[in-house]
Amino acid sequence: MPDHHTPTTPSTDREIETLEEFDAVLARGSLAHHRIQAVDLTERTFALLTADAEGAVFLGCPMEPAAAAKVRASGALVFPPVPGLPFDPYRGHLYTPDELFQGLAGSYEATPDARAYQWFQQTKTDGDVFASMLRAVHDDSISDALDELLVGARVVGVMGGHAMARGTEEYAGAARLGRTLARQGLTVATGGGPGAMEAANLGAYASAHDDEMLDDALELLAKAPSFTPSITDWAQAAFAVRERWSGGGASVGIPTWFYGHEPPNAFAAHIAKYFANATREDGLLARSNAGVIFLPGAAGTVQEVFDNATPNYYESRGEPTPMVLVNRTHWTEKLPVWPLLQSLARGRSMESRIALVNTVEEAAEALLSLEESNRGQD
């Protein structure tokens, strides 16, 4: 997966997201019509006083008042930082686990993740239109950063319930699935939360280590099986695994503060956290260009099955992408989604893009088989 956290060359789409990019663009002589996003420019006052900034847009960039006045006078738009927020609405990059969980050594309630949720709850109750605008700007910035990260990646979504506990065979199976997918060169993307989502991200993290590492990590994590009653203990167990086995494989988590009682997991290297759950869910499925695997889940996972089936049915995103449902009993008896999915697919292009398997061990093979057969038909 490309690393877009420390770019050293300016982006071709005129977005400037780091001080290094800013300096590189300025060395070419002009900031005109560029978009400078959440870059601290307080040490670049002289450059701003002399640069051509016509048509430029500065989004949440701290700068000295004289510099701000100069670039405005030369035809730039300046959207100043918003003080007092527990997040940056103009951020240019996705979150990392270390960033969201900063301060966890005290308690989860002190972390930026928890404080952003508290802010969301307060402003949602107040109905503050300015706050809703900030949430929308933030989420659009996250989508932009996510698209930049995933350029050229083959992304497979892994969906499943948040209630799947550490220490269970189901959790271990989901982790092995994530590891297998990552070792096949796929970028694993999940809803970024606990349960099956965490397990798949953990598996992708473990893909860079030997097989014994995952077994040992599962044993350590089982000591804090759920994020209830203590998110702090649950998250600290994950960071202990990361500290013991550093340098894990990268994957993506796409959680939401809409379900703020569910914390993000610490095994996704890149976290695209949204305020709007609808934007988050549609974005996760739309970016899963290599297909989606659905582990057993409840209402949320059922919704995701049909959120993904609809564009496949209408081919509104192009050719249908593979869909693999795992656990025959769950999807045919407990929640009989599979018969309806089959009926929808019958006679359409998506009919050859769906599969039902009984175990997670079969899921990766089924996904790759569907992808291969589809390439052969195209």
Side-chain angles (χ1 to χ4, degrees):
M1 185 193 307
D3 184 354
H4 290 262
H5 284 267
T6 54
T8 57
T9 57
S11 63
T12 56
D13 58 0
R14 294 184 178 270
E15 290 183 11
I16 297 174
E17 297 166 344
T18 68
L19 199 57
E20 291 77 14
E21 285 186 345
F22 178 86
D23 291 340
V25 169
L26 201 58
R28 300 207 306 267
S30 176
L31 295 171
H33 305 290
H34 281 76
R35 278 73 175 113
I36 303 90
Q37 190 174 351
V39 180
D40 189 342
L41 299 175
T42 53
E43 300 297 324
R44 295 296 186 271
T45 299
F46 179 77
L48 292 169
L49 290 174
T50 57
D52 173 16
E54 182 181 359
V57 180
F58 294 83
L59 299 168
C61 298
M63 64 179 79
E64 297 295 336
K70 167 59 174 61
V71 296
R72 284 194 183 99
S74 64
L77 286 175
V78 178
F79 294 81
V82 181
L85 291 179
F87 64 94
D88 182 357
Y90 302 111
R91 61 181 298 116
H93 304 293
L94 300 183
Y95 294 99
T96 66
D98 293 303
E99 181 180 2
L100 286 176
F101 284 103
Q102 185 179 7
L104 181 66
S107 71
Y108 170 72
E109 286 69 25
T111 65
D113 185 65
R115 289 189 288 110
Y117 177 56
Q118 292 161 6
W119 176 90
F120 177 38
Q121 289 294 96
Q122 180 61 52
T123 57
K124 187 173 64 172
T125 301
D126 293 345
D128 184 351
V129 66
F130 181 56
S132 65
M133 184 197 75
L134 292 173
R135 294 195 296 269
V137 170
H138 169 274
D139 285 2
D140 191 65
S141 298
I142 290 295
S143 291
D144 181 64
L146 185 58
D147 286 337
E148 291 175 357
L149 175 76
L150 295 178
V151 170
R154 291 168 62 220
V155 182
V156 57
V158 179
M159 310 298 166
H162 68 271
M164 185 183 288
R166 296 167 173 174
T168 63
E169 181 50 40
E170 291 78 13
Y171 184 95
R176 291 191 295 269
L177 172 63
R179 182 177 65 184
T180 299
L181 294 169
R183 286 178 175 174
Q184 291 288 340
L186 296 165
T187 295
V188 173
T190 77
M197 297 171 280
E198 180 189 54
N201 288 128
L202 166 63
Y205 186 90
S207 67
H209 296 276
D210 59 35
D211 288 355
E212 289 74 17
M213 173 267 172
L214 182 55
D215 295 334
D216 292 341
L218 290 169
E219 185 176 343
L220 288 174
L221 291 171
K223 297 175 182 177
S226 174
F227 64 95
T228 59
S230 172
I231 294 176
T232 303
D233 292 346
W234 175 85
Q236 285 178 339
F239 278 98
V241 168
R242 288 185 40 188
E243 184 176 356
R244 180 169 172 180
W245 293 281
S246 61
S251 65
V252 177
I254 308 181
T256 174
W257 280 295
F258 183 81
Y259 297 129
H261 61 288
E262 295 180 16
N265 77 72
F267 293 111
H270 309 286
I271 301 177
K273 190 151 192 179
Y274 287 88
F275 287 104
N277 185 49
T279 304
R280 165 254 191 168
E281 287 193 342
D282 183 69
L284 171 54
L285 295 168
R287 291 173 176 86
S288 296
N289 55 15
V292 183
I293 295 174
F294 297 91
L295 300 173
T301 310
V302 171
Q303 177 181 332
E304 289 162 349
V305 170
F306 292 105
D307 280 347
N308 196 58
T310 299
N312 280 348
Y313 180 89
Y314 290 110
E315 299 187 34
S316 55
R317 295 177 184 147
E319 285 293 312
T321 52
M323 299 176 64
V324 178
L325 278 61
V326 181
N327 191 314
R328 188 175 300 274
T329 300
H330 185 85
W331 294 120
T332 62
E333 297 178 19
K334 184 176 181 180
L335 296 174
V337 163
W338 175 249
L340 178 53
L341 186 62
Q342 278 187 305
S343 297
L344 280 172
R346 191 167 296 123
R348 308 184 74 87
S349 297
M350 69 178 287
E351 187 172 15
S352 63
R353 269 82 164 176
I354 63 172
L356 174 65
V357 299
N358 206 38
T359 67
V360 289
E361 287 74 21
E362 301 170 272
E365 182 179 351
L367 180 86
L368 295 170
S369 177
L370 289 176
E371 193 181 24
E372 182 65 30
S373 64
N374 294 336
R375 281 201 298 265
Q377 293 173 18
D378 292 341

